[in-house]
Amino acid sequence: MNKLLLVLVGAGAIAAVMGFTNPQKEKYLDYASTKLAEEAKESVCKTQNSPDVLKKLNDLVSDACKSGIDKHKDLARGAIDSVTSQENMVIFSIYTTDLPNRKYKTLGILGNFFTFS
């Protein structure tokens, strides 16, 4: 009986820690807007292979693109909020963000996020 009690107390303690560290939607919105901004920078703000004459101009355009994305990350955050649902399972949460061209499923657990799609 003592082993069973110890297992139950241990499981309860683990569940309590998981519940306490279950990330809230605000944290997810920060994570998702940062992740989407990074994806946008990689896909939209690419520097082109160009002759040396155009390299500086190309780099300038790429930097301006990245800066613009960073500047408007708060707008993206609001848009992400409007298309995101949260399934709060107390010890973890599942966030679904349904964008027009892609659907993201993210597990929030122990203060971290893991995106699966």
Side-chain angles (χ1 to χ4, degrees):
M1 186 68 161
N2 286 341
K3 286 184 181 183
L4 177 61
L5 181 60
L6 185 62
V7 168
L8 290 175
V9 169
I14 291 170
V17 167
M18 290 177 75
F20 183 71
T21 60
N22 181 8
Q24 298 301 310
K25 191 172 183 182
E26 290 300 313
K27 286 277 197 186
Y28 171 75
L29 294 174
D30 292 339
Y31 163 81
S33 61
T34 299
K35 185 170 176 62
L36 286 175
E38 291 303 317
E39 284 183 18
K41 286 180 201 178
E42 288 177 15
S43 64
V44 177
C45 304
K46 296 179 194 171
T47 57
Q48 305 293 322
N49 288 334
S50 57
D52 288 339
V53 176
L54 296 177
K55 182 157 179 30
K56 288 214 184 263
L57 178 61
N58 219 349
D59 290 345
L60 182 66
V61 170
S62 177
D63 289 345
C65 176
K66 291 174 183 176
S67 173
I69 289 172
D70 285 337
K71 184 176 181 181
H72 296 290
K73 197 164 67 169
D74 288 339
L75 272 173
R77 189 179 191 279
I80 292 167
D81 187 21
S82 68
V83 295
T84 296
S85 62
Q86 176 188 14
E87 295 175 59
N88 189 339
M89 307 294 186
V90 181
I91 60 173
F92 66 90
S93 291
I94 299 171
Y95 297 91
T96 303
T97 302
D98 198 2
L99 298 173
N101 59 343
R102 191 161 176 199
K103 188 175 193 173
Y104 293 89
K105 281 226 179 248
T106 303
L107 173 67
I109 188 167
L110 295 171
N112 295 296
F113 297 100
F114 304 95
T115 301
F116 296 102
S117 58

